């Protein structure tokens, strides 16, 4: 058995680091050109959708990616095990990118590719993180945290280079060449995962609680029934002549909105023997969940609304070098890599003087201010293209917000989760991202009734008001959460 280490960590981390880096390369590479491909006219080898519809599609696509993390984690726990789930998830993702890379005019292979990527990501994304944690023995929390920091670096390396490579390849209407690069990226990740399998030392090989044969049969019947039911409903909708891409995205958004409402209702009103303190803390968490959804609603407009702004209204020249609109999607991961250690040190220094609601409030104000900047840039764009440095400033401000909310979200979720829902609640945090992405995708419709600068100002006002409300109610939320050992109140 090899005693090699990866920056002082188990060598298995190198395998998972590389797999995740290439998977994120494929994901962010596709994301960097998807909206502009959909909005490009058929004469330019695109789908010919409106920018509004393209924004809605990208929104629900991102939303479903996060939503399927819940069933993906369950399948690993009960059927496949984390290791096989990651492999098959990556394989399905690769097939999805290959489908999109097929250079035909039909949109069928595009929709099939997106569906396969959603399914595959649901299997891979939640389970590869679980495997990272299991590389370390119980009680080795310090090295585990450091290992996740390295893993997070891999994510952002993939996210940084993907738009540069895929965007360059897709220039000149070579969209399918860009999609091919994403497929190659995922193939490289799979290859590294298979070749480095021994270094994982059995981690994730078996499900935590495997389904019995009878339970597997029951599960199989439910899956088949669900697929048939969805196919029948979609078929009936199509036969009625009222099915359009726009209406389909609205329907999916409504379904995504129902999920957290139903889940929180199930937790709060079901018979789960919750203590009074647990109920109070869940009430506080719901407010944080809503705040997070508002944050992601704006933050995840980067691959749609902000990408279109870069394409249509920006002078794409940086330090005298010509760039393409996809390159602007690399600004965010670059700033994350720069400022992660800064914010990590800042939170340690501030300690308990800054509470979770205050961090969330700051994040909302930051993302709101970024759209105030966008409103100014959009106003100036009425007279001609504006400097790309406006977008650089927007992404810089947004990253300050993300680093105040994203790392804190999972932590507070595990802290406030009732005992009966400790494992499941981690998936709920990702549903906040899902809700934000889906609703953000639908906000493009506001362009029908308001100007571009006003669009940005309306969303900015929503975020800033939500952030200020969190600051105002920080003390009450902090007590409800029993943060820093304060007792909960009724």
């Amino acid at each position: 058995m090899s005693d090699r280490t990866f920056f002082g960590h188990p060598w298995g981390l190198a395998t998972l680091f590389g797999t995740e880096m290439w998977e994120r390369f494929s994901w962010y590479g596709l994301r960097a050109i998807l909206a502009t491909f959909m909005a490009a006219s058929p004469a330019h080898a695109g789908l010919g959708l409106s920018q509004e519809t393209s924004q809605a599609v990208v929104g629900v696509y991102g939303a479903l990616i996060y939503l399927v993390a819940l069933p993906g984690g369950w399948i690993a726990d009960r059927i496949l095990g984390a290791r096989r789930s990651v492999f098959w998830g990556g394989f399905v993702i690769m097939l999805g990118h290959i489908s999109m890379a097929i250079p035909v005019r039909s949109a069928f292979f595009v929709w099939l590719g997106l569906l396969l990527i959603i399914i595959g990501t649901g299997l891979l994304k939640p389970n590869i993180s679980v495997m990272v944690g299991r590389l370390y023995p119980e009680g080795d929390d310090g090295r585990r945290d450091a290992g996740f920091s390295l893993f997070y670096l891999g994510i952002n390396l993939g996210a940084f280079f993907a738009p540069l490579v895929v965007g360059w390849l897709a220039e000149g209407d070579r969209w399918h060449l860009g999609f091919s690069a994403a497929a190659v990226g995922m193939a490289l990740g799979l290859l590294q995962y298979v070749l480095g399998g021994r270094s994982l030392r059995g981690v994730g090989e078996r499900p935590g609680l495997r389904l019995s044969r009878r339970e597997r049969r029951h599960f199989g019947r439910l899956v088949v029934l669900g697929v048939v039911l969805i196919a029948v409903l979609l078929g009936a909708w199509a036969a009625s002549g009222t099915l359009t891409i726009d209406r389909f995205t609205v329907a999916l958004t409504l379904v995504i909105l129902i999920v957290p409402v139903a889940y929180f209702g199930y937790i709060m009103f079901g018979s789960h023997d919750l203590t009074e303190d647990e109920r109070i803390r869940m009430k506080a968490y719901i407010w944080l969940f809503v705040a997070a959804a508002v944050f992601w609603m704006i933050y995840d407009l980067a691959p749609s609304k902000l990408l279109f702004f870069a394409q249509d209204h920006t002078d794409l020249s940086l330090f005298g070098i010509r760039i393409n609109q996809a390159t602007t999607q690399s600004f965010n991961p670059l700033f994350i890599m720069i400022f992660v250690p800064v914010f990590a040190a800042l939170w340690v220094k501030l300690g308990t003087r800054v509470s979770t609601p205050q961090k969330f409030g700051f994040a909302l104000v930051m993302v709101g201010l970024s759209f105030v900047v966008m409103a100014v840039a959009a106003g100036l764009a009425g007279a001609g293209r504006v400097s790309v440095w406006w977008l650089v400033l927007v992404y810089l401000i947004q990253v300050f917000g993300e680093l105040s909310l994203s790392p804190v979200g999972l932590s507070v979720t595990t802290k406030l989760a009732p005992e009966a829902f400790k494992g499941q609640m981690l998936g709920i945090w990702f549903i906040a991202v899902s809700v934000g992405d889906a609703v953000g995708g639908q906000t493009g419709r506001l362009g029908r009734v308001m100007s571009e600068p006003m669009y940005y100002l309306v969303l900015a006002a929503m975020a800033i008001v939500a952030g200020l409300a969190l600051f105002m109610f920080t003390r009450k939320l902090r007590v409800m959460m029993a943060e820093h050992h304060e007792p909960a109140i009724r």
Side-chain angles (χ1 to χ4, degrees):
M1 194 173 290
S2 174
D3 291 325
R4 285 191 302 171
T5 61
F6 180 65
F7 294 102
H9 293 268
W11 188 253
L13 181 63
T15 298
L16 299 178
F17 174 98
T19 305
E20 179 72 350
M21 182 184 71
W22 284 113
E23 186 275 330
R24 290 291 88 182
F25 176 93
S26 70
W27 157 251
Y28 282 101
L30 170 64
R31 208 174 84 134
I33 63 173
L34 181 59
T36 44
F37 160 70
M38 289 185 163
S41 69
H44 291 281
L47 293 189
L49 304 179
S50 68
Q51 288 191 1
E52 177 187 296
T53 301
S54 300
Q55 180 177 333
V57 171
V58 171
V60 295
Y61 167 64
L64 290 172
I65 287 287
Y66 285 99
L67 193 66
V68 295
L70 277 174
W74 185 88
I75 287 171
D77 285 342
R78 305 302 303 276
I79 301 174
L80 293 177
R83 187 162 172 176
R84 282 193 294 167
S85 293
V86 169
F87 172 80
W88 287 112
F91 185 73
V92 173
I93 290 170
M94 183 183 69
L95 292 180
H97 287 298
I98 291 172
S99 178
M100 297 192 69
I102 297 173
V104 296
R105 294 287 182 178
S106 170
F108 171 79
F109 290 104
V110 174
W111 304 122
L112 174 63
L114 292 179
L115 176 61
L116 290 172
I117 294 167
I118 289 168
I119 294 169
T121 306
L123 283 172
L124 184 147
K125 187 64 179 162
N127 296 309
I128 195 167
S129 298
V130 168
M131 291 177 70
V132 171
R134 290 179 183 170
L135 289 173
Y136 301 87
E138 288 293 328
D140 198 2
D141 293 341
R143 280 213 314 156
R144 183 183 292 107
D145 290 347
F148 269 108
S149 296
L150 276 173
F151 184 70
Y152 193 56
L153 174 63
I155 291 172
N156 284 289
L157 281 173
F160 172 73
F161 285 110
L164 302 177
V165 175
V166 174
W168 173 69
L169 289 172
E171 275 194 298
D173 304 332
R174 298 174 303 186
W175 307 107
H176 298 287
L177 191 58
F179 298 145
S180 298
V184 170
M186 191 63 255
L188 289 173
L190 272 177
L191 180 63
Q192 176 165 348
Y193 185 68
V194 172
L195 293 178
R198 285 189 179 181
S199 67
L200 297 174
R201 302 184 178 185
V203 168
E205 283 189 346
R206 292 181 178 81
L209 183 62
R210 191 187 296 273
L211 292 178
S212 67
R213 186 173 297 177
R214 182 171 172 236
E215 288 172 327
R216 286 200 300 274
R217 284 198 300 268
H218 181 62
F219 172 73
R221 284 195 292 268
L222 284 178
V223 169
V224 171
L225 181 62
V227 170
V228 169
L229 182 60
I230 291 171
V232 169
L233 289 174
L234 286 177
W237 193 1
S240 72
T242 60
L243 175 61
T244 64
I245 295 173
D246 262 329
R247 288 172 179 161
F248 186 61
T249 63
V250 171
L252 283 176
T253 299
L254 291 173
V255 170
I256 290 165
L257 286 170
I258 289 169
V259 170
V261 173
Y263 202 87
F264 282 125
Y266 171 69
I267 292 174
M268 296 296 290
F269 303 111
S271 178
H272 310 296
D273 297 321
L274 267 61
T275 67
E276 191 60 26
D277 277 358
E278 285 178 329
R279 291 185 187 278
I280 292 168
R281 290 171 190 171
M282 277 305 300
K283 288 177 184 177
Y285 182 76
I286 290 171
W287 288 109
L288 296 177
F289 178 94
V290 172
V294 172
F295 176 86
W296 296 114
M297 176 185 74
I298 295 175
Y299 187 86
D300 277 350
L301 288 176
S304 54
K305 192 69 177 177
L306 300 193
L307 187 62
F308 287 132
F309 185 86
Q311 173 186 263
D312 300 333
H313 303 297
T314 305
D315 176 17
L316 292 167
S317 177
L318 201 60
F319 298 113
I321 301 171
R322 193 75 188 162
I323 63 173
N324 58 49
Q325 64 268 15
T327 301
T328 62
Q329 298 294 290
S330 291
F331 298 161
N332 174 280
L334 176 62
F335 287 138
I336 288 176
M337 287 188 286
I338 292 171
F339 287 103
V340 157
V342 176
F343 272 76
L346 178 65
W347 298 140
V348 170
K349 186 174 175 118
L350 291 173
T352 60
R353 285 176 287 172
V354 179
S355 68
T356 298
Q358 286 172 320
K359 290 175 184 176
F360 273 53
F362 176 77
L364 284 165
V365 170
M366 285 295 100
V367 82
L369 288 178
S370 76
F371 264 37
V372 172
V373 173
M374 277 304 305
V376 175
L380 294 173
R385 288 182 178 266
V386 299
S387 169
V388 74
W389 288 101
W390 284 98
L391 283 175
V392 172
L393 178 59
V394 167
Y395 285 120
L396 176 63
I397 297 171
Q398 288 191 352
V399 162
F400 291 162
E402 185 194 358
L403 294 177
S404 303
L405 180 139
S406 190
V408 180
L410 280 174
S411 175
V412 75
T413 299
T414 56
K415 179 186 172 184
L416 299 182
E419 196 58 40
F421 294 92
K422 283 288 184 188
Q424 300 172 48
M425 280 292 291
L426 289 173
I428 291 295
W429 170 249
F430 292 114
I431 292 179
V433 187
S434 184
V435 169
D437 281 10
V439 175
Q442 298 300 326
T443 61
R445 303 178 194 282
L446 295 174
R448 298 173 182 173
V449 294
M450 60 181 63
S451 66
E452 191 93 341
M454 186 56 65
Y455 167 86
Y456 292 116
L457 283 176
V458 166
L459 294 187
M462 289 175 61
I464 292 171
V465 168
L468 294 177
L470 281 181
F471 282 122
M472 288 174 59
F473 293 100
T474 287
R475 186 177 178 279
K476 183 171 182 180
L477 284 171
R478 200 168 179 175
V479 173
M480 290 173 71
M481 294 163 58
E483 191 166 57
H484 311 316
H485 309 294
E486 297 178 60
I489 60 172
R490 285 174 175 77

